[in-house]
Amino acid sequence: MTTAERYFQGTGRRKRAVARVRVTPGVTPVFTVDGKLLEERFPLEIHRRSILQPLMATDSLRRFGITVKVSGGGVTGQSEAIRHGLAHALIHYDNSLRPVLKKAGFLTRDAREKERKKYGLFRARKRQQYAKR
């Protein structure tokens, strides 16, 4: 297996979104998400900036070819799942990056999920208005 074929994989999750990220060192630095370029898939700058944060923190923005498959959730959840998976893939590539990524908080999974609706209620916690008199 040559260096161009060797890749490092990481999985990231946020809300209902799951992202599988492959980082390939030594190839053309192209960032694709579900077969599209990053700018096409995430047109808003805030989402792209969120995704690229682990690469900026480790000064490795143009060192890798990155391929992502993401499913579930919304756009923000998907972008944060990609950030989480990218941080894990970078650790598989080089374990010395762990302290930087850990300090920035990119390795911690945000466990907040939408609470389920309960019967007798309008939403998870919203009830019918109570009138005392």
Side-chain angles (χ1 to χ4, degrees):
M1 185 179 280
T2 64
T3 55
E5 295 171 351
R6 184 164 170 76
Y7 62 86
F8 301 90
Q9 191 162 330
T11 304
R13 291 184 177 90
R14 170 77 169 96
K15 291 187 173 181
R16 292 281 163 188
V18 179
R20 295 186 318 254
V21 182
R22 282 187 177 180
V23 172
T24 310
V27 296
T28 311
V30 177
F31 201 122
T32 59
V33 180
D34 293 333
K36 297 180 182 177
L37 289 175
L38 180 66
E39 292 78 18
E40 294 174 24
R41 186 67 170 73
F42 294 98
L44 292 181
E45 178 68 28
I46 191 165
H47 294 133
R48 290 195 304 265
R49 191 174 298 145
S50 171
I51 290 169
L52 297 175
Q53 279 177 337
L55 294 173
M56 291 179 190
T58 57
D59 294 325
S60 53
L61 196 56
R62 294 270 167 213
R63 290 175 39 190
F64 303 106
I66 300 167
T67 307
V68 179
K69 291 184 180 178
V70 65
S71 63
V75 181
T76 302
Q78 286 184 351
S79 66
E80 293 181 15
I82 293 170
R83 179 178 70 182
H84 187 229
L86 184 56
H88 280 281
L90 288 173
I91 285 180
H92 286 293
Y93 168 70
D94 184 8
N95 203 31
S96 67
L97 301 174
R98 184 177 180 83
V100 176
L101 295 170
K102 183 78 173 166
K103 187 171 190 271
F106 300 138
L107 299 178
T108 307
R109 199 257 201 233
D110 191 347
R112 294 177 294 173
E113 293 264 346
K114 185 174 174 77
E115 192 172 337
R116 80 174 211 54
K117 181 195 176 299
K118 279 75 167 192
Y119 61 89
L121 303 182
F122 294 124
R123 293 194 305 257
R125 297 188 182 200
K126 184 173 181 178
R127 299 174 179 267
Q128 191 169 8
Q129 186 171 348
Y130 172 73
K132 191 169 183 178
R133 291 181 191 19

